[in-house]
Amino acid sequence: GTFRPSATGTTSLYNILFNNSGAINILGGTTLSMGGGGSFTGTITVPAGATLNFAGGTYNCYGGSSITGAGTLWVSSGTANLGGTVNVTGTNSFSGGTANVTGNYTCINNTLLDISIGGAVNFDGTGMVAPNTLNLDGALGGGNTVMVGSAMYWYGGSMSGSGRTIIQPAATLSIPFFAGYGGVYLYDRTLENKGAMLWAGGNFGMTGVLTNDPGGFFQIQGTAAFGYQGGAPRFDNAGTFLPSSAGGTTSFYTIAFNNYGAINLIGGILALYGPYSCTSNSALGYFIGGKTLGANYGQLQVSGSVNLSGTLNVNLTNHYVPTTSDS
């Protein structure tokens, strides 16, 4: 039949199995919180201002089911297996438990996709995952492509799976630095930057591939380390890469570094504990403003194999003019 939760406040089911083969109509401004698991083959309508919360247990939403509306989809605990149609155009929040998306999941345009600490979502369905904003502090996985339209804030956690995460040309990926924090991790997945990446520094664990595409801009703003976590990780730069400056060090530990674009060493040290290769159309730029390493000029240090090609650019800055015996 038709089930309509309370017209005000929150309707909660605690440890009660809820099976829906009919219609659930949530009213705007209210929340339906389900905490006991269930089987869904029917429809759930989540209008603007309403919230559907999977709050515990295991929910199996099969192929004929649908969850639609302009409200909020929230997985706060338990497991939600979303095998049907899911098109909730408000916030899609995964703050706890695990969501396994295998159906026709749509998340586009102005939708906020929020994956918090303790939350995990695996995108392995059809449809388009292209939120305007992505906040990541939990685990994002699966084989689907996730495209960020405007802004991504990677506070911590991991990205994994066989798919790709693409930062669109007009978008910015920001990775803040938190003292004592565990860093961010890219497991197997490909992270592809077509826009701008700004990393305040810290730890970046890798088994996957990080690509800075032509037109992409990647700047590191403090001391940073890319750490080997297994597999065959690599960093492919075809855009513009600016390592740490102002006395900082950017380190790549056992991670292959391939330069097809431009590396600009304004200051600091780029330390590669692995192979370095560059192509004939690549460029390596130095900006020299004095004789003090790290403060007035940068340095590329490679402990692995080196294949040099392309263009070397040296520019004097800060009105510095070398004199006899300067080196």
Side-chain angles (χ1 to χ4, degrees):
T2 298
F3 175 66
R4 179 177 294 171
S6 173
T8 60
T10 299
T11 300
S12 299
L13 291 88
Y14 296 106
N15 299 317
I16 295 173
L17 195 69
F18 190 175
N19 299 317
N20 174 46
S21 57
I24 299 174
N25 297 329
I26 308 173
L27 298 179
T30 66
T31 297
L32 174 60
S33 179
M34 302 180 297
S39 174
F40 289 1
T41 57
T43 64
I44 305 176
T45 303
V46 190
T51 299
L52 171 65
N53 181 18
F54 293 98
T58 299
Y59 290 90
N60 294 308
C61 301
Y62 295 103
S65 66
S66 69
I67 304 172
T68 58
T72 296
L73 172 65
W74 183 16
V75 178
S76 63
S77 184
T79 301
N81 297 313
L82 305 176
T85 297
V86 178
N87 187 1
V88 180
T89 58
T91 297
N92 286 209
S93 177
F94 305 90
S95 63
T98 301
N100 298 307
V101 179
T102 58
N104 184 8
Y105 178 87
T106 301
C107 177
I108 60 174
N109 296 330
N110 63 343
T111 305
L112 168 64
L113 178 58
D114 186 82
I115 306 172
S116 305
I117 295 176
V121 55
N122 299 304
F123 294 107
D124 289 300
T126 59
M128 180 177 291
V129 185
N132 189 58
T133 303
L134 169 60
N135 296 331
L136 178 59
D137 209 358
L140 185 157
N144 289 159
T145 296
V146 176
M147 295 183 292
V148 178
S150 179
M152 176 177 175
Y153 301 94
W154 195 358
Y155 299 105
S158 65
M159 290 192 285
S160 63
S162 59
R164 295 186 298 163
T165 300
I166 298 176
I167 309 303
Q168 299 277 51
T172 299
L173 166 57
S174 300
I175 310 176
F177 177 81
F178 297 99
Y181 205 71
V184 296
Y185 296 88
L186 183 65
Y187 295 127
D188 301 328
R189 196 174 187 86
T190 296
L191 172 58
E192 186 174 346
N193 175 48
K194 297 178 179 292
M197 284 184 64
L198 303 174
W199 183 22
N203 298 313
F204 194 121
M206 290 180 61
T207 67
V209 176
L210 174 56
T211 300
N212 192 36
D213 282 359
F217 178 81
F218 186 2
Q219 181 178 17
I220 299 176
Q221 300 165 323
T223 296
F226 293 85
Y228 176 80
Q229 298 289 313
R234 72 176 195 267
F235 177 76
D236 295 336
N237 175 55
T240 300
F241 178 57
L242 278 70
S244 301
S245 59
T249 300
T250 300
S251 303
F252 285 79
Y253 293 99
T254 322
I255 295 172
F257 192 112
N258 301 311
N259 184 31
Y260 308 94
I263 299 174
N264 292 331
L265 292 166
I266 298 176
I269 297 172
L270 176 57
L272 307 180
Y273 300 91
Y276 172 70
S277 177
C278 53
T279 60
S280 60
N281 58 344
S282 67
L284 180 62
Y286 287 90
F287 297 82
I288 302 176
K291 298 189 296 181
T292 304
L293 172 61
N296 300 130
Y297 69 93
Q299 190 174 75
L300 172 63
Q301 300 176 354
V302 185
S303 62
S305 61
V306 179
N307 175 24
L308 293 177
S309 186
T311 301
L312 174 66
N313 296 317
V314 178
N315 299 278
L316 299 179
T317 62
N318 197 30
H319 306 293
Y320 173 64
V321 179
T323 61
T324 301
S325 299
D326 282 359
S327 65

Short mmCIF file of all heavy atoms in Angstrom, two decimals, residues 193-262:
data_model
loop_
_atom_site.label_atom_id
_atom_site.label_comp_id
_atom_site.label_asym_id
_atom_site.label_seq_id
_atom_site.Cartn_x
_atom_site.Cartn_y
_atom_site.Cartn_z
N ASN A 193 43.39 14.91 -12.67
CA ASN A 193 43.15 16.33 -12.46
C ASN A 193 43.18 17.09 -13.79
O ASN A 193 44.21 17.16 -14.46
CB ASN A 193 44.21 16.92 -11.52
CG ASN A 193 44.05 18.43 -11.37
OD1 ASN A 193 42.95 18.92 -11.15
ND2 ASN A 193 45.14 19.15 -11.51
N LYS A 194 42.04 17.67 -14.15
CA LYS A 194 41.94 18.53 -15.32
C LYS A 194 41.83 20.00 -14.91
O LYS A 194 41.88 20.88 -15.77
CB LYS A 194 40.73 18.15 -16.17
CG LYS A 194 40.78 16.74 -16.75
CD LYS A 194 39.51 16.44 -17.53
CE LYS A 194 39.54 15.05 -18.14
NZ LYS A 194 40.55 14.93 -19.21
N GLY A 195 41.64 20.25 -13.62
CA GLY A 195 41.47 21.60 -13.11
C GLY A 195 42.64 22.03 -12.26
O GLY A 195 43.76 22.19 -12.76
N ALA A 196 42.40 22.21 -10.95
CA ALA A 196 43.45 22.65 -10.04
C ALA A 196 43.46 21.76 -8.81
O ALA A 196 42.41 21.41 -8.28
CB ALA A 196 43.24 24.10 -9.63
N MET A 197 44.67 21.39 -8.37
CA MET A 197 44.86 20.66 -7.13
C MET A 197 45.75 21.50 -6.22
O MET A 197 46.83 21.93 -6.62
CB MET A 197 45.51 19.29 -7.36
CG MET A 197 44.58 18.24 -7.91
SD MET A 197 45.38 16.61 -8.05
CE MET A 197 45.73 16.24 -6.33
N LEU A 198 45.30 21.71 -4.99
CA LEU A 198 46.05 22.47 -4.00
C LEU A 198 46.19 21.60 -2.76
O LEU A 198 45.19 21.28 -2.11
CB LEU A 198 45.33 23.78 -3.66
CG LEU A 198 45.03 24.73 -4.83
CD1 LEU A 198 44.21 25.92 -4.35
CD2 LEU A 198 46.32 25.20 -5.50
N TRP A 199 47.44 21.24 -2.44
CA TRP A 199 47.70 20.36 -1.30
C TRP A 199 48.55 21.11 -0.29
O TRP A 199 49.65 21.56 -0.61
CB TRP A 199 48.38 19.08 -1.78
CG TRP A 199 48.64 18.07 -0.69
CD1 TRP A 199 48.01 17.98 0.52
CD2 TRP A 199 49.59 17.00 -0.73
NE1 TRP A 199 48.51 16.92 1.24
CE2 TRP A 199 49.48 16.31 0.51
CE3 TRP A 199 50.52 16.58 -1.67
CZ2 TRP A 199 50.29 15.21 0.81
CZ3 TRP A 199 51.31 15.48 -1.37
CH2 TRP A 199 51.19 14.80 -0.15
N ALA A 200 48.05 21.21 0.94
CA ALA A 200 48.77 21.95 1.97
C ALA A 200 49.97 21.17 2.50
O ALA A 200 50.81 21.74 3.19
CB ALA A 200 47.83 22.29 3.13
N GLY A 201 50.07 19.89 2.17
CA GLY A 201 51.19 19.07 2.61
C GLY A 201 50.75 17.99 3.58
O GLY A 201 49.63 17.98 4.08
N GLY A 202 51.66 17.04 3.84
CA GLY A 202 51.34 15.91 4.70
C GLY A 202 51.71 14.61 4.02
O GLY A 202 52.73 14.52 3.31
N ASN A 203 50.88 13.58 4.18
CA ASN A 203 51.15 12.25 3.63
C ASN A 203 50.09 11.87 2.60
O ASN A 203 48.90 12.09 2.81
CB ASN A 203 51.18 11.21 4.74
CG ASN A 203 52.28 11.47 5.75
OD1 ASN A 203 53.42 11.73 5.38
ND2 ASN A 203 51.95 11.43 7.04
N PHE A 204 50.56 11.26 1.51
CA PHE A 204 49.68 10.83 0.42
C PHE A 204 50.12 9.42 0.05
O PHE A 204 51.10 9.23 -0.66
CB PHE A 204 49.84 11.79 -0.77
CG PHE A 204 48.78 11.68 -1.83
CD1 PHE A 204 48.00 12.78 -2.16
CD2 PHE A 204 48.56 10.50 -2.53
CE1 PHE A 204 47.04 12.71 -3.15
CE2 PHE A 204 47.59 10.40 -3.51
CZ PHE A 204 46.83 11.52 -3.82
N GLY A 205 49.39 8.41 0.55
CA GLY A 205 49.73 7.02 0.25
C GLY A 205 49.16 6.59 -1.08
O GLY A 205 48.02 6.94 -1.42
N MET A 206 49.94 5.79 -1.86
CA MET A 206 49.52 5.44 -3.21
C MET A 206 49.80 3.99 -3.55
O MET A 206 50.86 3.45 -3.23
CB MET A 206 50.23 6.32 -4.25
CG MET A 206 49.82 7.77 -4.26
SD MET A 206 50.72 8.73 -5.53
CE MET A 206 50.21 7.88 -7.05
N THR A 207 48.82 3.35 -4.19
CA THR A 207 49.04 2.16 -5.00
C THR A 207 48.50 2.40 -6.41
O THR A 207 48.69 1.59 -7.29
CB THR A 207 48.34 0.92 -4.42
OG1 THR A 207 46.92 1.10 -4.50
CG2 THR A 207 48.72 0.71 -2.96
N GLY A 208 47.79 3.52 -6.59
CA GLY A 208 47.13 3.83 -7.85
C GLY A 208 47.91 4.81 -8.70
O GLY A 208 49.13 4.97 -8.57
N VAL A 209 47.19 5.52 -9.55
CA VAL A 209 47.80 6.43 -10.53
C VAL A 209 47.23 7.83 -10.32
O VAL A 209 46.01 8.01 -10.26
CB VAL A 209 47.54 5.97 -11.97
CG1 VAL A 209 48.09 6.97 -12.97
CG2 VAL A 209 48.15 4.59 -12.20
N LEU A 210 48.11 8.80 -10.22
CA LEU A 210 47.72 10.20 -10.13
C LEU A 210 48.17 10.89 -11.41
O LEU A 210 49.36 10.88 -11.76
CB LEU A 210 48.38 10.86 -8.92
CG LEU A 210 48.19 12.37 -8.74
CD1 LEU A 210 46.72 12.74 -8.70
CD2 LEU A 210 48.88 12.83 -7.46
N THR A 211 47.21 11.47 -12.14
CA THR A 211 47.50 12.11 -13.43
C THR A 211 47.13 13.58 -13.38
O THR A 211 46.00 13.93 -13.02
CB THR A 211 46.70 11.42 -14.56
OG1 THR A 211 47.08 10.05 -14.65
CG2 THR A 211 46.98 12.09 -15.89
N ASN A 212 48.09 14.43 -13.71
CA ASN A 212 47.83 15.85 -13.87
C ASN A 212 47.77 16.13 -15.37
O ASN A 212 48.78 16.16 -16.06
CB ASN A 212 48.95 16.66 -13.20
CG ASN A 212 48.62 18.13 -13.06
OD1 ASN A 212 47.47 18.49 -12.81
ND2 ASN A 212 49.62 18.98 -13.19
N ASP A 213 46.56 16.28 -15.90
CA ASP A 213 46.32 16.35 -17.33
C ASP A 213 46.81 17.66 -17.95
O ASP A 213 47.06 18.64 -17.23
CB ASP A 213 44.82 16.20 -17.61
CG ASP A 213 44.37 14.76 -17.53
OD1 ASP A 213 45.21 13.89 -17.28
OD2 ASP A 213 43.16 14.50 -17.70
N PRO A 214 46.93 17.71 -19.28
CA PRO A 214 47.23 18.99 -19.94
C PRO A 214 46.22 20.06 -19.52
O PRO A 214 45.01 19.82 -19.53
CB PRO A 214 47.10 18.66 -21.42
CG PRO A 214 47.41 17.20 -21.52
CD PRO A 214 46.85 16.61 -20.26
N GLY A 215 46.72 21.21 -19.12
CA GLY A 215 45.85 22.27 -18.61
C GLY A 215 45.64 22.19 -17.12
O GLY A 215 45.13 23.14 -16.51
N GLY A 216 46.00 21.05 -16.50
CA GLY A 216 45.86 20.89 -15.06
C GLY A 216 46.97 21.60 -14.30
O GLY A 216 48.09 21.75 -14.79
N PHE A 217 46.64 22.02 -13.09
CA PHE A 217 47.59 22.75 -12.24
C PHE A 217 47.61 22.09 -10.87
O PHE A 217 46.57 21.93 -10.23
CB PHE A 217 47.16 24.22 -12.13
CG PHE A 217 48.04 25.06 -11.24
CD1 PHE A 217 49.23 25.59 -11.71
CD2 PHE A 217 47.67 25.34 -9.93
CE1 PHE A 217 50.04 26.37 -10.89
CE2 PHE A 217 48.45 26.12 -9.11
CZ PHE A 217 49.65 26.63 -9.59
N PHE A 218 48.80 21.69 -10.41
CA PHE A 218 48.94 20.99 -9.14
C PHE A 218 50.02 21.69 -8.33
O PHE A 218 51.19 21.69 -8.70
CB PHE A 218 49.30 19.52 -9.38
CG PHE A 218 49.32 18.66 -8.14
CD1 PHE A 218 49.00 19.15 -6.89
CD2 PHE A 218 49.67 17.32 -8.24
CE1 PHE A 218 49.01 18.35 -5.75
CE2 PHE A 218 49.70 16.50 -7.12
CZ PHE A 218 49.37 17.03 -5.87
N GLN A 219 49.61 22.30 -7.22
CA GLN A 219 50.55 23.03 -6.37
C GLN A 219 50.57 22.44 -4.97
O GLN A 219 49.52 22.22 -4.36
CB GLN A 219 50.19 24.51 -6.29
CG GLN A 219 51.17 25.32 -5.43
CD GLN A 219 50.82 26.80 -5.40
OE1 GLN A 219 49.71 27.20 -5.74
NE2 GLN A 219 51.77 27.63 -4.99
N ILE A 220 51.78 22.19 -4.46
CA ILE A 220 51.97 21.72 -3.09
C ILE A 220 52.48 22.89 -2.27
O ILE A 220 53.45 23.56 -2.65
CB ILE A 220 52.95 20.54 -3.05
CG1 ILE A 220 52.38 19.36 -3.87
CG2 ILE A 220 53.20 20.10 -1.61
CD1 ILE A 220 53.30 18.18 -3.97
N GLN A 221 51.83 23.15 -1.14
CA GLN A 221 52.07 24.37 -0.39
C GLN A 221 52.88 24.15 0.88
O GLN A 221 53.08 25.09 1.64
CB GLN A 221 50.72 25.03 -0.08
CG GLN A 221 49.94 25.39 -1.35
CD GLN A 221 48.49 25.71 -1.08
OE1 GLN A 221 47.86 25.10 -0.23
NE2 GLN A 221 47.94 26.67 -1.82
N GLY A 222 53.34 22.94 1.13
CA GLY A 222 54.15 22.65 2.30
C GLY A 222 54.92 21.36 2.11
O GLY A 222 54.85 20.74 1.05
N THR A 223 55.65 20.93 3.12
CA THR A 223 56.38 19.67 3.04
C THR A 223 55.41 18.52 2.85
O THR A 223 54.41 18.40 3.57
CB THR A 223 57.22 19.46 4.31
OG1 THR A 223 58.21 20.49 4.38
CG2 THR A 223 57.91 18.12 4.29
N ALA A 224 55.69 17.67 1.87
CA ALA A 224 54.74 16.63 1.49
C ALA A 224 55.47 15.36 1.10
O ALA A 224 56.60 15.40 0.60
CB ALA A 224 53.87 17.11 0.33
N ALA A 225 54.83 14.21 1.33
CA ALA A 225 55.43 12.93 0.99
C ALA A 225 54.39 12.03 0.33
O ALA A 225 53.30 11.82 0.87
CB ALA A 225 55.98 12.24 2.25
N PHE A 226 54.73 11.53 -0.87
CA PHE A 226 53.94 10.51 -1.55
C PHE A 226 54.56 9.17 -1.16
O PHE A 226 55.73 8.90 -1.47
CB PHE A 226 53.98 10.70 -3.06
CG PHE A 226 53.29 11.94 -3.55
CD1 PHE A 226 53.95 13.16 -3.57
CD2 PHE A 226 51.97 11.89 -4.00
CE1 PHE A 226 53.32 14.31 -4.03
CE2 PHE A 226 51.34 13.03 -4.45
CZ PHE A 226 52.00 14.24 -4.47
N GLY A 227 53.79 8.32 -0.51
CA GLY A 227 54.33 7.08 0.03
C GLY A 227 53.84 5.85 -0.71
O GLY A 227 52.66 5.73 -1.06
N TYR A 228 54.75 4.91 -0.93
CA TYR A 228 54.45 3.65 -1.59
C TYR A 228 53.63 2.76 -0.66
O TYR A 228 54.01 2.52 0.49
CB TYR A 228 55.76 2.96 -1.97
CG TYR A 228 55.61 1.58 -2.58
CD1 TYR A 228 55.27 1.43 -3.91
CD2 TYR A 228 55.82 0.43 -1.81
CE1 TYR A 228 55.14 0.17 -4.48
CE2 TYR A 228 55.69 -0.83 -2.37
CZ TYR A 228 55.35 -0.96 -3.70
OH TYR A 228 55.22 -2.21 -4.25
N GLN A 229 52.49 2.27 -1.15
CA GLN A 229 51.63 1.39 -0.37
C GLN A 229 51.46 0.02 -1.02
O GLN A 229 50.66 -0.79 -0.57
CB GLN A 229 50.25 2.03 -0.21
CG GLN A 229 50.26 3.36 0.54
CD GLN A 229 50.55 3.20 2.00
OE1 GLN A 229 49.98 2.35 2.67
NE2 GLN A 229 51.47 4.01 2.52
N GLY A 230 52.24 -0.25 -2.08
CA GLY A 230 52.13 -1.50 -2.80
C GLY A 230 51.78 -1.27 -4.26
O GLY A 230 51.46 -0.16 -4.68
N GLY A 231 51.82 -2.36 -5.05
CA GLY A 231 51.46 -2.26 -6.46
C GLY A 231 52.51 -1.54 -7.27
O GLY A 231 53.71 -1.60 -7.00
N ALA A 232 52.05 -0.81 -8.28
CA ALA A 232 52.94 -0.06 -9.18
C ALA A 232 52.43 1.37 -9.31
O ALA A 232 52.00 1.80 -10.39
CB ALA A 232 53.02 -0.73 -10.54
N PRO A 233 52.47 2.15 -8.24
CA PRO A 233 51.95 3.52 -8.31
C PRO A 233 52.82 4.42 -9.17
O PRO A 233 54.04 4.21 -9.29
CB PRO A 233 51.98 3.97 -6.85
CG PRO A 233 53.09 3.19 -6.24
CD PRO A 233 53.04 1.84 -6.92
N ARG A 234 52.20 5.44 -9.75
CA ARG A 234 52.98 6.39 -10.54
C ARG A 234 52.27 7.74 -10.57
O ARG A 234 51.05 7.84 -10.38
CB ARG A 234 53.22 5.88 -11.95
CG ARG A 234 52.02 5.88 -12.88
CD ARG A 234 52.38 5.43 -14.28
NE ARG A 234 51.35 5.75 -15.23
CZ ARG A 234 50.37 4.93 -15.59
NH1 ARG A 234 50.32 3.71 -15.07
NH2 ARG A 234 49.47 5.32 -16.48
N PHE A 235 53.06 8.77 -10.85
CA PHE A 235 52.56 10.12 -11.01
C PHE A 235 52.89 10.57 -12.42
O PHE A 235 54.07 10.62 -12.81
CB PHE A 235 53.20 11.06 -9.98
CG PHE A 235 52.76 12.49 -10.14
CD1 PHE A 235 51.52 12.91 -9.71
CD2 PHE A 235 53.62 13.43 -10.69
CE1 PHE A 235 51.13 14.24 -9.85
CE2 PHE A 235 53.24 14.75 -10.83
CZ PHE A 235 51.99 15.16 -10.41
N ASP A 236 51.88 10.86 -13.22
CA ASP A 236 52.06 11.32 -14.60
C ASP A 236 51.67 12.79 -14.67
O ASP A 236 50.51 13.15 -14.45
CB ASP A 236 51.18 10.52 -15.56
CG ASP A 236 51.57 9.05 -15.63
OD1 ASP A 236 52.73 8.74 -15.33
OD2 ASP A 236 50.70 8.21 -15.98
N ASN A 237 52.66 13.64 -14.96
CA ASN A 237 52.39 15.07 -15.06
C ASN A 237 52.42 15.51 -16.51
O ASN A 237 53.45 15.48 -17.17
CB ASN A 237 53.44 15.86 -14.26
CG ASN A 237 53.25 17.36 -14.45
OD1 ASN A 237 52.16 17.88 -14.19
ND2 ASN A 237 54.29 18.04 -14.90
N ALA A 238 51.25 15.94 -17.01
CA ALA A 238 51.18 16.51 -18.35
C ALA A 238 50.74 17.96 -18.31
O ALA A 238 50.61 18.60 -19.35
CB ALA A 238 50.20 15.70 -19.21
N GLY A 239 50.51 18.47 -17.09
CA GLY A 239 50.13 19.85 -16.91
C GLY A 239 51.27 20.64 -16.29
O GLY A 239 52.43 20.52 -16.70
N THR A 240 50.96 21.42 -15.26
CA THR A 240 51.96 22.20 -14.53
C THR A 240 52.01 21.72 -13.09
O THR A 240 50.98 21.69 -12.40
CB THR A 240 51.64 23.70 -14.56
OG1 THR A 240 51.60 24.14 -15.92
CG2 THR A 240 52.68 24.49 -13.81
N PHE A 241 53.21 21.35 -12.64
CA PHE A 241 53.40 20.83 -11.28
C PHE A 241 54.35 21.74 -10.53
O PHE A 241 55.47 22.00 -10.97
CB PHE A 241 53.95 19.40 -11.34
CG PHE A 241 54.22 18.79 -9.98
CD1 PHE A 241 53.22 18.69 -9.04
CD2 PHE A 241 55.48 18.31 -9.66
CE1 PHE A 241 53.46 18.13 -7.79
CE2 PHE A 241 55.74 17.74 -8.43
CZ PHE A 241 54.73 17.66 -7.49
N LEU A 242 53.91 22.24 -9.36
CA LEU A 242 54.73 23.08 -8.50
C LEU A 242 54.94 22.37 -7.17
O LEU A 242 54.03 22.33 -6.33
CB LEU A 242 54.07 24.45 -8.25
CG LEU A 242 54.23 25.54 -9.31
CD1 LEU A 242 53.44 25.19 -10.57
CD2 LEU A 242 53.77 26.88 -8.76
N PRO A 243 56.13 21.78 -6.95
CA PRO A 243 56.41 21.14 -5.66
C PRO A 243 56.54 22.16 -4.55
O PRO A 243 56.41 23.37 -4.77
CB PRO A 243 57.75 20.42 -5.91
CG PRO A 243 57.93 20.43 -7.39
CD PRO A 243 57.21 21.64 -7.90
N SER A 244 56.81 21.67 -3.35
CA SER A 244 56.96 22.53 -2.19
C SER A 244 57.99 23.62 -2.42
O SER A 244 59.04 23.38 -3.03
CB SER A 244 57.38 21.71 -0.96
OG SER A 244 56.43 20.72 -0.68
N SER A 245 57.71 24.80 -1.93
CA SER A 245 58.67 25.89 -2.01
C SER A 245 58.98 26.38 -0.60
O SER A 245 58.56 25.78 0.39
CB SER A 245 58.11 27.03 -2.87
OG SER A 245 56.91 27.51 -2.32
N ALA A 246 59.72 27.46 -0.50
CA ALA A 246 60.02 28.10 0.79
C ALA A 246 60.63 27.12 1.79
O ALA A 246 60.23 27.06 2.95
CB ALA A 246 58.77 28.75 1.37
N GLY A 247 61.61 26.35 1.33
CA GLY A 247 62.33 25.47 2.23
C GLY A 247 61.71 24.12 2.45
O GLY A 247 62.25 23.29 3.19
N GLY A 248 60.57 23.81 1.83
CA GLY A 248 59.92 22.52 2.00
C GLY A 248 60.49 21.46 1.07
O GLY A 248 61.24 21.75 0.14
N THR A 249 60.14 20.21 1.33
CA THR A 249 60.57 19.09 0.50
C THR A 249 59.36 18.29 0.06
O THR A 249 58.49 17.95 0.87
CB THR A 249 61.53 18.17 1.27
OG1 THR A 249 62.69 18.90 1.66
CG2 THR A 249 61.95 16.98 0.41
N THR A 250 59.30 17.98 -1.22
CA THR A 250 58.29 17.08 -1.77
C THR A 250 58.98 15.78 -2.12
O THR A 250 59.89 15.76 -2.96
CB THR A 250 57.64 17.67 -3.02
OG1 THR A 250 57.00 18.91 -2.68
CG2 THR A 250 56.59 16.72 -3.58
N SER A 251 58.57 14.68 -1.48
CA SER A 251 59.23 13.39 -1.66
C SER A 251 58.29 12.38 -2.30
O SER A 251 57.11 12.31 -1.95
CB SER A 251 59.72 12.85 -0.31
OG SER A 251 60.59 13.76 0.34
N PHE A 252 58.83 11.59 -3.24
CA PHE A 252 58.12 10.46 -3.84
C PHE A 252 58.91 9.20 -3.50
O PHE A 252 60.03 9.03 -3.95
CB PHE A 252 58.03 10.62 -5.36
CG PHE A 252 57.03 11.65 -5.83
CD1 PHE A 252 57.33 12.99 -5.79
CD2 PHE A 252 55.79 11.26 -6.31
CE1 PHE A 252 56.43 13.95 -6.23
CE2 PHE A 252 54.87 12.21 -6.75
CZ PHE A 252 55.19 13.55 -6.71
N TYR A 253 58.32 8.34 -2.66
CA TYR A 253 59.01 7.14 -2.21
C TYR A 253 58.58 5.94 -3.05
O TYR A 253 57.45 5.47 -2.95
CB TYR A 253 58.73 6.89 -0.72
CG TYR A 253 59.34 7.94 0.18
CD1 TYR A 253 58.57 8.98 0.69
CD2 TYR A 253 60.68 7.88 0.52
CE1 TYR A 253 59.14 9.95 1.52
CE2 TYR A 253 61.25 8.84 1.35
CZ TYR A 253 60.48 9.87 1.84
OH TYR A 253 61.04 10.82 2.66
N THR A 254 59.49 5.45 -3.89
CA THR A 254 59.27 4.26 -4.73
C THR A 254 58.04 4.43 -5.62
O THR A 254 57.27 3.50 -5.82
CB THR A 254 59.15 2.99 -3.87
OG1 THR A 254 60.06 3.06 -2.77
CG2 THR A 254 59.49 1.74 -4.68
N ILE A 255 57.84 5.63 -6.11
CA ILE A 255 56.74 5.94 -7.01
C ILE A 255 57.32 6.52 -8.29
O ILE A 255 58.08 7.49 -8.26
CB ILE A 255 55.76 6.94 -6.37
CG1 ILE A 255 55.10 6.30 -5.14
CG2 ILE A 255 54.70 7.40 -7.37
CD1 ILE A 255 54.27 7.25 -4.32
N ALA A 256 56.99 5.91 -9.44
CA ALA A 256 57.52 6.37 -10.72
C ALA A 256 56.96 7.75 -11.04
O ALA A 256 55.77 8.01 -10.86
CB ALA A 256 57.15 5.40 -11.83
N PHE A 257 57.84 8.64 -11.50
CA PHE A 257 57.46 10.01 -11.84
C PHE A 257 57.73 10.22 -13.32
O PHE A 257 58.88 10.18 -13.77
CB PHE A 257 58.27 11.00 -11.00
CG PHE A 257 57.77 12.42 -11.06
CD1 PHE A 257 57.21 13.01 -9.95
CD2 PHE A 257 57.86 13.17 -12.23
CE1 PHE A 257 56.75 14.33 -10.00
CE2 PHE A 257 57.41 14.46 -12.29
CZ PHE A 257 56.84 15.05 -11.17
N ASN A 258 56.67 10.45 -14.10
CA ASN A 258 56.78 10.69 -15.53
C ASN A 258 56.34 12.10 -15.85
O ASN A 258 55.21 12.50 -15.55
CB ASN A 258 55.92 9.69 -16.31
CG ASN A 258 56.30 8.25 -16.03
OD1 ASN A 258 57.47 7.90 -16.08
ND2 ASN A 258 55.31 7.41 -15.73
N ASN A 259 57.24 12.88 -16.45
CA ASN A 259 56.93 14.28 -16.75
C ASN A 259 56.73 14.48 -18.24
O ASN A 259 57.66 14.34 -19.04
CB ASN A 259 58.07 15.19 -16.25
CG ASN A 259 57.74 16.65 -16.45
OD1 ASN A 259 56.58 17.05 -16.41
ND2 ASN A 259 58.76 17.46 -16.68
N TYR A 260 55.50 14.82 -18.62
CA TYR A 260 55.16 15.15 -20.00
C TYR A 260 54.87 16.65 -20.14
O TYR A 260 54.69 17.13 -21.25
CB TYR A 260 53.92 14.38 -20.45
CG TYR A 260 54.01 12.88 -20.23
CD1 TYR A 260 53.49 12.30 -19.07
CD2 TYR A 260 54.61 12.05 -21.17
CE1 TYR A 260 53.56 10.93 -18.87
CE2 TYR A 260 54.69 10.68 -20.96
CZ TYR A 260 54.16 10.13 -19.81
OH TYR A 260 54.24 8.77 -19.60
N GLY A 261 54.80 17.35 -19.00
CA GLY A 261 54.43 18.75 -19.01
C GLY A 261 55.52 19.61 -18.41
O GLY A 261 56.69 19.51 -18.79
N ALA A 262 55.15 20.45 -17.42
CA ALA A 262 56.10 21.40 -16.84
C ALA A 262 56.21 21.19 -15.34
O ALA A 262 55.21 21.06 -14.63
CB ALA A 262 55.66 22.83 -17.12
#
